[in-house]
Amino acid sequence: MEQLLRNFFLFLSKNKFFTKLAKRYGFRFGAGTVVAGENIEHAAEIIEKLNNKGLVVTIDHLGEFIDSEEEARQGADECIKAIEVIAEKNLDSQLSLKMTSMGLDISHQLVMENMRRILDAGKKHNVFVTIDMEDFDRCQKTLDIFKELKSEYEGVGTVIQSYLYRTVEDIEDLNEFSPNLRLVKGAYKESPKVAFPEKKDVDDNYKKIIKLHLLNGNYTAVASHDDAMIEYTKKVEKDYDISREQFEFQMLYGFRNERQQELVDEGYKMRVYVPYGNDWYGYFMRRLAERPANIVFAIKGIFSK
C-alpha cells in the first residue's frame, strides 16, 4: 500500500494540469500551511516567527526544470534577493536551491555563473547555501558542481539521498572536502537499477550514512520526520560522544510542528525547511510520496495553525 501511495503522489507531482491549477488557486486552498507565501517578504515574516521559537531555517524559492536562460538568471536574482533580506532583517536562515532552477539542463557555463553570483552574495552576507539533490540523472552533475564550488567557497553544502545504491561511495568520495551534508531518504521515483525499492533497505542505508558521516567528523544535517532516524542519531551522539555542534535535525515547514519544538527544548539545533513561491505543487506531492505518513502531519499542521 505504501508503495502504491508513493507512486500515486509521484505521478501527481508531474501532472501539468494540476500544477497550473495549484499555481492559480493554491494559497486559497491550504498551500499556505506548507509554503511560506508567494514572495521573500512573506517568507521573512514566517522565518522571524520560527526564529523567535528557537528554530533555525533554510529557505527555498520553489521552481525547477526551467528551460530558458532568462528564467535561470531570474531564479538566481531571487536567491540573491533572499540572501539580502535574510541579512537585512538579521534572520537565522540559510538558503537552499536546485541546480535545475539555475540552468543545469541548459549549460554548465550558465549554472556556474549563477551559482558564483549567489555564493558571492552568501559570502558577503554570511549566509550558507545548500545545493538540493534532484533525480538520479542529475546526481553526478550536481556532485561535480558541488566539488568545483567547494574548492572556491566555504559556505556551500549539498544533499545525499539514502535510497541510492551509490550513496555510501559518494559519502566517502566527498569526505576529502569536509562537507556539510544534508542526509535525506530521497523523494523521486527511481529505477530499482539505481535505488533500493524496499523501505527497510532505504532506512538501513540511511542509518549507515548518518553514522559514517558523523564519525568522519563532518557536519551532518539529518533531514527526516521519522522518529526512528531521530532516535538513531541521538544514539550515535551518545555512543560516540558526538558534539551537538556537529549536527542538526531538519524538518519541513508545516509538518510535525510539535516535534520540532520538542527537539529545540531538548537542546538540539532544529532547522525548518521553508519553501516559498507559487510553484509549490510538485514539491508538496513529492513530500507526500517520500513518506505517506506526511499526509497526517500536514493535516495536523493545518489544524494547529
Side-chain angles (χ1 to χ4, degrees), residues 62-108:
L62 294 171
E64 54 194 286
F65 304 119
I66 58 94
D67 55 13
S68 76
E69 291 190 11
E70 181 181 5
E71 284 181 293
R73 292 196 172 95
Q74 287 174 349
D77 291 342
E78 179 63 40
C79 289
I80 292 167
K81 180 181 179 182
I83 288 170
E84 291 171 345
V85 169
I86 289 169
E88 176 188 344
K89 295 182 178 294
N90 196 30
L91 302 172
D92 194 340
S93 179
Q94 299 178 354
L95 175 77
S96 294
L97 53 80
K98 290 180 174 60
M99 290 289 90
T100 50
S101 68
M102 296 297 110
L104 180 67
D105 295 342
I106 299 173
S107 77
H108 182 75

Side-chain angles (χ1 to χ4, degrees), residues 136 163-166 190-197:
F136 179 79
Y163 70 171
L164 298 180
Y165 299 139
R166 60 176 289 168
E190 303 290 1
S191 164
K193 294 180 180 179
V194 301
F196 294 105

Side-chain angles (χ1 to χ4, degrees), residues 31 115 133 140 151 162 241 244 281:
M115 283 305 303
M133 188 56 70
Q140 189 59 54
S151 66
S162 74
D241 196 25
R244 291 190 181 182
Y281 176 76

Side-chain angles (χ1 to χ4, degrees), residues 279-298:
D279 192 9
W280 61 273
Y281 176 76
Y283 157 84
F284 186 44
M285 290 300 106
R286 286 197 301 275
R287 299 293 76 77
L288 298 182
E290 189 172 18
R291 189 166 183 252
N294 285 345
I295 301 168
V296 177
F297 298 147

Side-chain angles (χ1 to χ4, degrees), residues 263-294:
L263 288 166
V264 171
D265 295 343
E266 291 172 18
Y268 291 100
K269 179 175 281 191
M270 175 65 236
R271 189 174 305 280
V272 185
Y273 188 101
V274 176
Y276 71 99
N278 66 357
D279 192 9
W280 61 273
Y281 176 76
Y283 157 84
F284 186 44
M285 290 300 106
R286 286 197 301 275
R287 299 293 76 77
L288 298 182
E290 189 172 18
R291 189 166 183 252
N294 285 345

Side-chain angles (χ1 to χ4, degrees), residues 162-180:
S162 74
Y163 70 171
L164 298 180
Y165 299 139
R166 60 176 289 168
T167 292
V168 170
E169 184 178 335
D170 285 336
I171 291 272
E172 293 173 340
D173 180 58
L174 292 172
N175 188 46
E176 65 177 288
F177 296 91
S178 301
N180 178 325

